Amino acid sequence: MRLCVTIVVTAIIAFFVSGLIEVMLIQKMVGEAGENQTITLKEKSQETLTGIVEGSLKQTIRQAADNSNDEFWSLDHDFRILGEQVQDVFMHPENYSEVPVNPPSKANAGKYVQQLMFADWADQNDQETMRMVRKLGNLSPIMAEIIRGNSDYTMDCYIALPSGVTIAMDKMSEQKFEEDGKVKNYDPTSRAWYQGAVEKQDMYFSAAVHSYFYDLTEVVFGYPIYVDGELVAVLEGSTKLDALQQLVSELSFSENSFSILISGDGQLVYSPRTEGDLAMDDMLSTDIRETANPELNDLVARALSLEEGFTSVHIDGEKYYVAYAPLKIMGWTQMMFIGEKELLNSTDSLLEEIDNSNTQTFSKFQGRIRRTTIVILIVMLLLIFNAAMASAIISKRMVTPINTMTERVKNMDGDDMSFEMEEVYKTKDEIEVLAGVFHKLTYKLKNYINEVARISAEKERIDTEMATANKIQDSMLPRIFPAFPDRPEFELYADMKPAKEVGGDLYDYYFLDDDHLAMVIGDVSGKGISAALFMVMTKHIIQSQVMLHGGDVYKAIEGVNALLMEENAAGMFVTVWLGVLNVTTGALSYVNAGHEYPIICRKGGQYELYKDNHGSPVACRKKIKIKLNEITLNPGDVLYLYTDGITEATDSDFKMFGHDRILEVLNARKEATVLELDKTVRAAVDEFVGEADQFDDMTTLCIRYNGPEKGKTKKDT
């Protein structure tokens, strides 16, 4: 009995100690497995989600800024076109009749009409000034069309003279009266948009201010007009602040994200917050550069330097991720914020579920240990056997699935972010619940990744379609050079580079008969698909009208204007230079409908601007006003035609290439071929612009007249 008792007691102690050690090892393995999987999940989830959000947030804010830039680029372009017309009136007043411009009338409420306003110090009896005002009245259709074409962002269009006289175009005549019924005095020279434009000598956008005439807050922009270095007028346009705020407020990345808009001088133009670091007061007096948050101040300084980027910042004590992009035309910046709490909410929820599950598992596990210990003490030999079996079962049931789960989580990387439910996890307890949570999380992550991939694929599809449209448009323009190699009377080269995938510029050339060569170059208002379609229609109508009228460019342009006015539902217009050259005599007859002045180099001379008779753009009015120009090209003379995309190409400091630079480039290569001349000009433009975006189409047409072929004289012709 003593021997049996000794054997039993020894066996009990041995098995009890070994079982206890095995249980402790299992508990340690479970704890380490749970800790490792929590750390791995947190690191991978944060890294993956942050990367996805950074790319998507930057793309969202960049697209929003590009859309805003496109809208205000169109305004900038249209006002520059209007500025050229105003400049032409001052330079060639003899080309314009006098049109009455009347003071505001309440009867004109809701109608687009010109209204004559005076500062209290203006001389209303100055005959010279009033005569020029009546000539400027001819621009009423263009001013009205600019407002209609940009109705979402433009309320009015003013021509303000330094003499205190203003020609206003809007449909709110009734709001320009005092309570006693008298017309309000209006001094444009005291307004911020006037002073800012004169100081900058270019397009200027003011901060948000309360309107002088209308009961609303607006952003006003001015554009100065100079003739021979003297200020003759300042153009004005205004945008409702509500329209800009709505555009920004509609931009959203997620349910709890938000966007703000900051002007170039630090004014917080829009913020959805009513208190804290980003609160916006009703008076719009918040200067976001002077908050008590130095981290926010540094971020705003970088954004206002017209950079774009992504970073993190603490706002009101909470961490946010923010992406920002510039509105370069206005010199403003736009920002989008998303809180770190929202970003990591799903990860934190998962970790909380894992902690709760592990706590419950450990609690139940410890209870089983206590019960097993009591059974071992009561049931000796049977407990030894049961303890061994229980250890084996517990190891297989708990440690194996947890170790398997840990390995699967560690291997989640790159494109393989899936966690599948396997048979080893189906333990009917908390391990199965934990595996189910992992499966749901990775399923959601895969959906997020697939959605990003779908958006990227859609963008690639759109890019492909736009590239196809570019090829189709490109094929509609003559591209074979040298043009007419069997005709030694001239050399000709032309090219068009659109600002976007498709453009609104056009050029063409073709023989009407053996002696007469037709040439055309034009610039459609606006950009993108609509401008490209209008360009194609214009190009074919011009060719048909030139053929129909037998080379009479004056009648051809009149016919083109009439047809485009009938088909112009979008309210677009186009500047056109159209000429017919007698290749035997050198006689060139042409019309210039609002287009850039041509550049001519006589043989042995210098390239110079040829200030011809300008007319109004095509499709602006039913009765187009143009004059016929007639010159003679002598052998060796060169004619260079271009659109304003060349002269108005801007660098990163918004300086324009200008006419002086193009003349300097051409005069440096006077003996070059027409192809080399054009390539030299374009290379100079590219070098000047540098990394700045191309905002306008660039189109050129260059011809060198060589004279009639040997043996053929003017008399023969």
Side-chain angles (χ1 to χ4, degrees), residues 22 28 48 106 115 154 188 207 277 288 299 305 309 329 333 360 362 385 411 446 537 568 623 644 654 678 688 708 710:
E22 183 70 18
K28 181 179 179 181
T48 302
K106 293 182 179 181
Q115 305 141 54
T154 306
D277 292 339
I288 196 67
L299 170 61
S305 66
I329 293 295
T333 190
Q360 295 176 7
F362 290 148
F385 175 77
N411 292 330
K446 288 176 66 177
M537 180 173 65
N568 193 8
K623 180 63 176 178
D644 59 8
F654 296 100
D678 193 63
F688 174 79
K710 188 175 181 181

Side-chain angles (χ1 to χ4, degrees), residues 324-341:
Y324 51 90
L327 278 65
K328 293 185 177 179
I329 293 295
M330 304 176 68
W332 294 11
T333 190
Q334 191 168 350
M335 296 183 177
M336 175 173 281
F337 295 81
I338 182 171
E340 185 183 49
K341 289 184 179 180

Side-chain angles (χ1 to χ4, degrees), residues 584-586 632-635 705 708 712-717:
T584 302
T585 66
T632 299
L633 297 180
N634 297 314
Y705 179 64
K712 186 175 182 180
T713 66
K714 296 182 180 181
K715 183 177 181 181
D716 295 332
T717 303

Side-chain angles (χ1 to χ4, degrees), residues 99-114:
V99 177
V101 182
N102 300 313
S105 171
K106 293 182 179 181
N108 289 327
K111 302 177 183 177
Y112 283 110
V113 294
Q114 287 183 331

Side-chain angles (χ1 to χ4, degrees), residues 15-27:
F15 280 109
F16 180 77
V17 171
S18 62
L20 184 60
I21 293 174
E22 183 70 18
V23 170
M24 292 175 63
L25 291 174
I26 292 173
Q27 186 174 4

Side-chain angles (χ1 to χ4, degrees), residues 125-425:
N125 296 318
D126 185 346
Q127 295 301 316
E128 182 178 352
T129 298
M130 298 309 298
R131 185 162 48 254
M132 183 56 67
V133 166
R134 289 189 292 272
K135 289 182 179 293
L136 290 170
N138 287 280
L139 304 182
S140 175
I142 299 180
M143 297 171 70
E145 189 57 40
I146 287 177
I147 302 175
R148 293 191 187 99
N150 302 278
S151 58
D152 292 339
Y153 295 96
T154 306
M155 295 189 299
D156 51 33
C157 179
Y158 290 0
I159 302 176
L161 307 184
S163 60
V165 181
T166 302
I167 302 175
M169 167 61 75
D170 56 39
K171 59 179 180 180
M172 295 173 279
S173 303
E174 75 282 1
Q175 299 191 36
K176 297 182 176 63
F177 293 85
E178 303 284 0
E179 293 182 358
D180 59 3
K182 294 182 179 179
V183 176
K184 291 182 178 180
N185 290 326
Y186 181 67
D187 183 3
T189 63
S190 66
R191 310 302 292 173
W193 57 265
Y194 186 101
Q195 298 171 355
V198 172
E199 179 179 355
K200 187 178 179 182
Q201 295 187 355
D202 201 350
M203 184 69 73
Y204 169 80
F205 286 84
S206 74
V209 296
H210 191 78
S211 174
Y212 182 81
F213 290 116
Y214 323 123
D215 187 18
L216 50 82
T217 303
E218 62 184 357
V219 174
V220 191
F221 48 93
Y223 179 62
I225 308 301
Y226 296 87
V227 174
D228 296 330
E230 180 182 356
L231 179 71
V232 297
V234 178
L235 307 184
E236 180 269 1
S238 63
T239 297
K240 290 182 181 179
L241 182 61
D242 291 346
L244 288 175
Q245 291 178 338
Q246 181 178 0
L247 181 66
V248 177
S249 64
E250 291 175 350
L251 178 63
S252 176
F253 177 75
S254 65
E255 182 178 355
N256 296 320
S257 65
F258 66 92
S259 298
I260 67 172
L261 185 63
I262 304 173
S263 71
D265 58 1
Q267 181 188 47
L268 185 58
V269 178
Y270 172 74
S271 172
R273 297 210 167 191
T274 57
E275 56 185 29
D277 292 339
L278 297 177
M280 186 178 72
D281 60 33
D282 295 335
M283 300 302 294
L284 297 175
S285 61
T286 301
D287 190 338
I288 196 67
R289 300 170 299 180
E290 299 177 356
T291 67
N293 186 340
E295 190 177 353
L296 178 59
N297 296 341
D298 292 341
L299 170 61
V300 172
R302 291 197 304 272
L304 287 178
S305 66
L306 300 184
E307 295 181 2
E308 66 175 47
F310 177 87
T311 187
S312 61
V313 64
H314 288 83
I315 304 295
D316 300 327
E318 295 186 13
K319 185 177 181 180
Y320 286 82
Y321 291 98
V322 55
Y324 51 90
L327 278 65
K328 293 185 177 179
I329 293 295
M330 304 176 68
W332 294 11
T333 190
Q334 191 168 350
M335 296 183 177
M336 175 173 281
F337 295 81
I338 182 171
E340 185 183 49
K341 289 184 179 180
E342 179 187 1
L343 177 63
L344 302 180
N345 183 56
S346 59
T347 302
D348 293 340
S349 299
L350 175 61
L351 293 176
E352 184 178 353
E353 291 184 18
I354 293 174
D355 289 339
N356 293 335
S357 178
N358 286 339
T359 300
Q360 295 176 7
T361 301
F362 290 148
S363 177
K364 292 182 179 181
F365 190 64
Q366 290 173 352
R368 290 177 182 177
I369 292 176
R370 287 192 295 270
R371 288 194 297 272
T372 302
T373 303
I374 295 173
V375 171
I376 290 176
L377 294 174
I378 297 174
V379 185
M380 302 178 186
L381 296 177
L382 183 60
L383 185 57
I384 294 174
F385 175 77
N386 290 338
M389 295 297 297
S391 297
I393 293 173
I394 292 174
S395 296
K396 182 177 181 181
R397 182 178 179 182
M398 300 187 67
V399 177
T400 299
I402 290 177
N403 283 339
T404 303
M405 188 182 302
T406 301
E407 289 299 319
R408 296 290 188 271
V409 173
K410 286 182 178 179
N411 292 330
M412 289 170 58
D413 189 18
D415 296 333
D416 184 13
M417 294 296 294
S418 62
F419 182 91
E420 302 295 338
M421 178 63 75
E422 303 177 21
E423 288 296 328
V424 69
Y425 306 134

